[in-house]
């Protein structure tokens, strides 16, 4: 494998891992809200959370570019006040991957929280635990397989992100050129299809490993719930 391919693999792993980790706290909060609360606007929140699944990734990247660009409401403030530019950096690639993968993470965590018996939470509250203590000591530990599965799903999705990344982060070697962008760049060059073969195989193997681990965690969590005593 070429130095370009090795760089793309390392960059993709760091971007996908950072994106999944950064999105996890927000995903847990949103998943708990959708699983345990009924409120006005709930359907709208579900629709907004699911949007990245159905929107073309290029559209998601375009919206992020408007938001984070030098003239955007967030990017403009960051650049004027703190001198920080997000677009066309590693951080932009992380944000693009996090936004696109967010719905998958929320879904996995929400299903795991919904599988937690509410009577266990009620028992903890009866024994004097507050809402936060109940969540941290009962709900979160029991839904841990879903959290790990959601993280792995987001990680795997982040590895394959292309459209949003190229819009908001560009295709800069050793900075934002992840595996999909590297394959695309190689395929445009004469003889590049053969050059990209190793990178394609590596991408498939990493994705299969992440998905298999996520499926194993989900199956383990389901088996545990079925084996738990009822009553």
């Amino acid at each position: 494998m070429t130095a370009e391919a090795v760089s793309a693999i390392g960059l993709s792993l760091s971007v996908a891992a950072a994106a999944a980790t950064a999105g996890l706290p927000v995903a847990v909060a949103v998943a708990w809200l959708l699983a345990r609360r009924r409120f006005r606007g709930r359907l709208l929140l579900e629709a907004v959370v699911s949007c990245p699944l159905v929107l073309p990734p290029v559209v998601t990247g375009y919206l992020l570019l408007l938001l984070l660009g030098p003239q955007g409401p967030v990017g403009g403030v960051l650049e004027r006040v703190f001198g920080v530019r997000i677009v066309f950096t590693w951080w932009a690639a992380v944000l693009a991957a996090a936004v696109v993968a967010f719905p998958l993470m929320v879904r996995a965590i929400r299903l795991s929280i919904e599988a937690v018996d509410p009577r266990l939470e009620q028992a903890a509250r009866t024994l004097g635990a507050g809402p936060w203590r109940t969540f941290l000591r009962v709900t979160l530990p029991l839904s841990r397989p879903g959290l790990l599965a959601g993280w792995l799903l987001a990680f795997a999705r982040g590895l394959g992100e292309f459209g949003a990344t190229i819009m908001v982060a560009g295709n800069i070697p050793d900075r934002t050129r992840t595996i999909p962008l590297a394959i695309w760049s190689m395929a445009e060059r004469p003889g590049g299809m053969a050059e990209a073969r190793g990178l394609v195989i590596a991408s498939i193997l990493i994705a299969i490993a992440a998905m298999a681990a996520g499926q194993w965690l989900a199956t383990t969590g389901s088996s545990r719930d079925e084996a738990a005593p009822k009553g």
Side-chain angles (χ1 to χ4, degrees), residues 30 94 115 162 171 173:
V30 173
V94 170
F162 177 86
N171 185 17

Side-chain angles (χ1 to χ4, degrees), residues 64 67-87 89 91-92 95:
L64 287 174
L67 183 68
L68 301 172
Q71 306 303 320
V74 175
V77 172
L78 289 175
E79 188 159 350
R80 287 192 303 270
V81 177
F82 302 103
V84 174
R85 173 169 290 197
I86 299 295
V87 294
T89 66
W91 291 105
L95 284 172

Side-chain angles (χ1 to χ4, degrees), residues 32-117:
W32 179 86
L33 194 63
L34 294 174
R36 289 290 190 254
R37 289 290 182 266
R38 297 294 180 267
F39 54 92
R40 287 185 179 181
R42 183 170 177 270
L43 293 178
L44 178 61
L45 178 60
E46 289 182 344
V48 171
V49 169
S50 300
C51 261
L53 287 177
V54 295
L55 282 177
V58 172
V59 174
T60 302
Y62 175 80
L63 295 174
L64 287 174
L65 191 59
L66 290 180
L67 183 68
L68 301 172
Q71 306 303 320
V74 175
V77 172
L78 289 175
E79 188 159 350
R80 287 192 303 270
V81 177
F82 302 103
V84 174
R85 173 169 290 197
I86 299 295
V87 294
F88 304 118
T89 66
W90 181 84
W91 291 105
V94 170
L95 284 172
V99 170
V100 172
F102 189 72
L104 296 175
M105 184 183 290
V106 170
R107 177 175 174 78
I109 297 173
R110 177 184 176 180
L111 291 174
S112 186
I113 292 175
E114 287 176 342
V116 175
D117 192 341

